[in-house]
Amino acid sequence: MKICYLSRADNYHTYKWCSQMSKRGHEVHVISFIKGDIDCATVHYVDCGIASGREAERKKLKYLTRGKAIRRIIDTIRPDIVHAHYISSYGLAAVLAGIPNCVISVWGSDIYEFPQKSTVHKALIQFVLRRAGQIWSTSHAMAEETHKYTKRDIEITPFGVDMRMFCPERRTRKPNDGKFVIGTVKALKPKYGIAAILQAGHILKEKHPDIPLSIRIAGKGEQEEELRKLAHSLGMDAYVDWLGFISQEEAAAEWANMDCALILSESESFGVSAVEAQACAVPVIITDIPGLKEATLPGKSSMVVARKSPEIVAEKVVQLYDHPELREKMGQQGYAFVRKEYDIEHCFDKIDCLYKKIVLEKVK
């Protein structure tokens, strides 16, 4: 098959889709408004005058004027599948370009935040959902949110994680090394609750100074300076490490070397980070967000807390510190859960079958 994605070429998830389809023998193309190279796909850059994708939303309106350019590329490639990612930009551009039977995936802020901005934004989402060939979502929770704007069927296509990369074997710490390591691998943005991790760590250390706590935070983002100042003001510099942006391989090692992973998001469409941590047989503490609960086994592989409740998070961490057998049990249950539900090979086998079904239906 020839598959053409409309998606950011500099996004890791775009690379994941391209890599998985390429290894299954398909010819993969990407139409992107952002420059980027993907070694397993042919990237077609459509210049919108936007270099990084972080400019003001008014500049992103240029996406919607590139319909003819998109259509020319599609007509040249003649793909069997056209799949647009992110409904409010590439999905909308694909619909305006008049691409028939286009698969459109919702991703998160495009369905949780974009329609809330105004009645016009809501109408645009409804317009795209009506015109899409199929609608896909990475989680049931996000599909439920999408159903606020359409009654159409939505296919669930989980992200999946590479369990050869994210696995317990990545753990390199020696037993009884005198540390209790907690932390996260997330962008440093307000919605991901990094401040709550710091607050919970501070509360824990104040109440239980004997616990050899080590907090490791990997990621970059707009809130970094603010978070570093918060940690410093709380006197946490001695036991908080800021790792900055790290690769997927490094992320797998970080999760595997934690005693407990904290994913305290205030908003999340699906808990990829929670899946990655569980794949490394690490217990997780998550907030009570549907997308995070869907990505774990609450009460078995995860402990669920209310959002913005660092005191309760601290209590849960102490519980896990005091009961190593519970950490082991939760970690093993999480690993088995991810192996069954979110192994990347199984997830993309399903997607491959869905693509083939679309092609067969075209022939009929």
Side-chain angles (χ1 to χ4, degrees), residues 16 159-163 166 272 275-276 279 338 342-345:
K16 184 187 292 187
F159 275 110
V161 296
D162 185 349
M163 296 193 72
F166 292 89
V272 179
V275 173
E276 291 174 349
V338 174
Y342 294 115
D343 182 276
I344 194 169
E345 298 301 328

Side-chain angles (χ1 to χ4, degrees), residues 85-335:
H85 292 264
Y86 210 81
I87 188 170
S88 58
S89 56
Y90 288 95
L92 180 55
V95 167
L96 293 177
I99 299 171
N101 303 312
C102 182
V103 177
I104 297 179
S105 285
V106 296
W107 278 76
S109 61
D110 53 341
I111 202 69
Y112 283 99
E113 299 172 14
F114 188 86
Q116 306 297 324
K117 293 180 178 181
S118 74
T119 55
V120 173
H121 288 78
K122 178 181 176 180
L124 284 173
I125 291 298
Q126 292 171 324
F127 170 72
V128 176
L129 293 174
R130 284 196 303 271
R131 297 296 185 90
Q134 290 191 17
I135 306 165
W136 291 8
S137 168
T138 55
S139 70
H140 290 278
M142 190 158 54
E144 184 176 341
E145 185 71 17
T146 306
H147 272 138
K148 293 180 180 179
Y149 309 102
T150 182
K151 294 182 179 179
R152 296 182 61 188
D153 291 339
I154 299 174
E155 192 71 51
I156 307 302
T157 55
F159 275 110
V161 296
D162 185 349
M163 296 193 72
R164 292 170 299 180
M165 180 185 299
F166 292 89
C167 59
E169 288 72 28
R170 291 279 177 170
R171 190 176 180 92
T172 56
R173 285 174 58 200
K174 295 180 179 179
N176 304 315
D177 64 359
K179 293 182 180 180
F180 189 73
V181 181
I182 67 174
T184 198
V185 182
K186 299 289 291 184
L188 305 186
K189 298 180 178 181
K191 70 177 183 178
Y192 291 132
I194 311 300
I197 294 177
L198 296 174
Q199 292 160 354
H202 174 65
I203 292 168
L204 187 157
K205 203 64 176 169
E206 287 285 296
K207 292 183 176 180
H208 303 274
D210 55 312
I211 293 180
L213 188 65
S214 172
I215 301 176
R216 295 176 66 81
I217 298 175
K220 298 288 287 184
E222 66 206 48
Q223 204 184 14
E224 181 173 359
E225 184 178 354
E226 176 187 340
L227 291 168
R228 284 176 176 268
K229 287 181 178 179
L230 174 61
H232 181 72
S233 69
L234 294 173
M236 303 175 70
D237 292 343
Y239 57 94
V240 176
D241 290 307
W242 302 92
L243 308 179
F245 177 82
I246 61 176
S247 68
Q248 284 285 290
E249 291 82 0
E250 291 169 321
E254 283 300 323
W255 289 128
N257 281 293
M258 290 181 192
D259 295 299
C260 169
L262 303 182
I263 297 101
L264 306 183
S265 303
E266 296 174 19
S267 173
E268 188 114 27
S269 59
F270 180 70
V272 179
S273 297
V275 173
E276 291 174 349
Q278 290 171 106
C280 297
V282 173
V284 294
I285 298 176
I286 62 171
T287 43
D288 55 352
I289 293 172
L292 285 177
K293 291 194 288 185
E294 181 179 335
T296 70
L297 287 173
K300 294 183 177 180
S301 69
S302 66
M303 293 179 170
V304 183
V305 301
R307 279 159 269 192
K308 297 183 179 180
S309 58
E311 297 87 357
I312 299 175
V313 174
E315 292 173 5
K316 298 296 184 183
V317 173
V318 172
Q319 183 181 352
L320 289 170
Y321 174 78
D322 288 339
H323 298 90
E325 73 287 351
L326 176 60
R327 298 200 306 271
E328 175 70 19
K329 183 178 180 180
M330 289 179 65
Q332 290 304 315
Q333 290 182 133
Y335 176 82

Side-chain angles (χ1 to χ4, degrees), residues 1-7 26-32 41-46 68-83 99 362:
M1 282 187 294
K2 285 186 183 179
I3 301 169
C4 182
Y5 293 111
L6 275 70
S7 185
H26 305 308
E27 180 182 325
V28 183
H29 295 257
V30 176
I31 297 175
S32 174
T42 301
V43 177
H44 306 266
Y45 170 56
V46 176
K68 289 183 179 179
I70 293 170
R71 193 61 193 245
R72 281 196 297 269
I73 296 169
I74 295 293
D75 289 344
T76 300
I77 299 170
R78 298 177 63 85
D80 301 292
I81 298 290
V82 179
H83 186 169
I99 299 171
K362 285 182 181 179

